[in-house]
Amino acid sequence: MAFVSQFSQLPCRTLSLNPPQTQLISKPLIFPIGPIVAGARAAAGKLAISARPVFKVRAVENDDERGEEKKRPYADGPAVAVAEEEEKPLEQSEIYKLKKALVDSFYGTDRGLRVNSETRAEILELIAQLEAKNPTPAPTEALSLLNGKWILAYTSFSGLFPLLSRSTFSLVKVEEISQTIDSEGFTVQNSVLFSGPLATTSISTNAKFEVRSPQRVQIMFEEGVIGTPQLTDSIVIPENVEFLGQKIELSAFSGIISSIQDTASNVVKTISSQPPIKFPISNAKAESWLLTTYLDEDVRISRGDGGSVFVLIKEGSALLSP
């Protein structure tokens, strides 16, 4: 029965009761099947034939056992995977609710300029909760997420308040404050977009940044840029206005308005062709730093000098929609 123990080492799944001779010798380098089968038939005769069903039964039993062993981890695996998949969306859902609540709390604050103590406390609490769930603990190692244009939604940085308050008492309005990061060139551009009755323009600063820690970057300002004013191409005048309690019809001024629109169009073409004005920045205050405490594909929370906080939303995010 020595041939029985040797034969049982073969992979039984590929064997049948009457295997073709070509299959038995197709892989002689793996195992010398042909000589063993011939010797077994000459020495044992019918015994080898009667032993074949035993081999088949053994193969079936081993297949069953192996099948059960393979199925058990597979059965356990999906259960764990499903649990993880269920837990992950739940965590993401909680984070999204926090982000939505934070953005909603900015309503009426004018980016932090007009905020009472109660709303400020609510905002700071939501910021702290988001920072505790930060999915990117090392933002400077995830530069692809930092890359792009970020719109300022809220700040406690008092240095911006004079700029924001100026638009409250004049015809010039701050339309947008943004920060654009180029993670490949290691550059940062801070920009403020202004709009007036007849034109829009922007003031920007260009800077370089260096990674100083997994969360911190050092920013070195290089130049300022005053953008070319873009005049309003069309002026919309209402049909009537109310002045000192009286309604004044403006239809009589339609010819003058049309002339102004034509003149404005010509001026737009002239001014827009002029290059922006650039000036170097070189003083002791030309450096700053930012610590990013929360980062995902939609929201970035950074902290700067004096404990100021900045909440920015990625351009194109649904969170910017009203």
Side-chain angles (χ1 to χ4, degrees), residues 13 58-70:
R13 268 186 207 180
R58 245 181 230 179
V60 172
E61 291 177 353
N62 289 339
D63 285 345
D64 291 341
E65 293 174 359
R66 290 175 184 173
E68 291 177 0
E69 291 175 358
K70 290 180 180 179

Side-chain angles (χ1 to χ4, degrees), residues 51-316:
R52 286 179 184 172
V54 176
F55 300 153
K56 183 178 179 181
V57 171
R58 245 181 230 179
V60 172
E61 291 177 353
N62 289 339
D63 285 345
D64 291 341
E65 293 174 359
R66 290 175 184 173
E68 291 177 0
E69 291 175 358
K70 290 180 180 179
K71 288 179 181 179
R72 285 172 187 167
Y74 181 80
D76 295 338
V80 176
V82 168
E84 292 177 352
E85 289 176 0
E86 290 177 353
E87 182 179 355
K88 189 175 181 181
L90 180 61
E91 178 74 10
Q92 291 177 347
S93 176
E94 292 178 354
I95 290 178
Y96 179 79
K97 289 179 180 178
L98 282 174
K99 292 191 295 186
K100 190 67 169 61
L102 179 62
V103 173
D104 290 344
S105 68
F106 298 153
Y107 180 77
T109 66
D110 194 8
R111 303 180 185 88
L113 173 65
R114 296 191 296 267
V115 56
N116 56 42
S117 58
E118 182 180 353
T119 303
R120 183 184 295 108
E122 178 187 354
I123 291 172
L124 293 178
E125 175 62 25
L126 290 169
I127 287 175
Q129 291 183 39
L130 268 178
E131 289 175 330
K133 295 180 178 293
N134 183 15
T136 314
T140 59
E141 297 175 8
L143 293 179
S144 60
L145 280 179
L146 281 172
N147 194 60
K149 183 178 179 180
W150 297 86
I151 311 300
L152 180 69
Y154 175 86
T155 184
S156 63
F157 180 50
S158 58
L160 283 177
F161 291 165
L163 180 66
L164 295 173
S165 62
R166 182 179 297 274
S167 66
T168 305
F169 303 104
S170 67
L171 296 177
V172 178
K173 179 182 179 183
V174 176
E175 286 287 344
E176 180 183 273
I177 300 176
S178 64
Q179 184 176 74
T180 303
I181 298 176
D182 179 2
S183 60
E184 295 184 358
F186 289 89
T187 62
V188 178
Q189 183 184 69
N190 297 326
S191 181
V192 181
L193 178 64
F194 298 94
S195 67
L198 298 175
T200 61
T201 189
S202 63
I203 298 178
S204 305
T205 57
N206 295 329
K208 291 280 188 180
F209 73 89
E210 295 178 356
V211 174
R212 296 294 175 87
S213 76
Q215 290 184 320
R216 178 173 171 170
V217 296
Q218 190 74 14
I219 300 176
M220 292 78 69
F221 296 98
E222 295 182 334
E223 66 176 5
V225 180
I226 299 177
T228 303
Q230 301 296 318
L231 298 186
T232 304
D233 192 62
S234 61
I235 303 173
V236 178
I237 303 295
E239 294 181 357
N240 55 72
V241 294
E242 187 172 335
F243 181 72
L244 297 178
Q246 295 183 351
K247 186 175 291 186
I248 303 175
E249 298 292 335
L250 298 179
S251 57
F253 298 95
S254 58
I256 298 175
I257 293 171
S258 178
S259 177
I260 293 175
Q261 288 178 337
D262 293 340
T263 303
S265 297
N266 293 329
V267 174
V268 166
K269 295 177 182 178
T270 303
I271 294 182
S272 61
S273 62
Q274 301 299 316
I277 301 173
K278 297 183 179 182
F279 54 93
I281 299 176
S282 55
N283 54 55
K285 296 182 179 180
E287 290 195 16
S288 183
W289 57 267
L290 278 179
L291 194 69
T292 300
T293 54
Y294 181 91
L295 177 65
D296 64 16
E297 66 279 0
D298 288 315
V299 174
R300 189 178 112 227
I301 300 174
S302 296
R303 295 183 179 272
D305 301 341
S308 55
V309 62
F310 303 86
V311 180
L312 303 103
I313 302 175
K314 195 69 165 288
E315 183 182 42

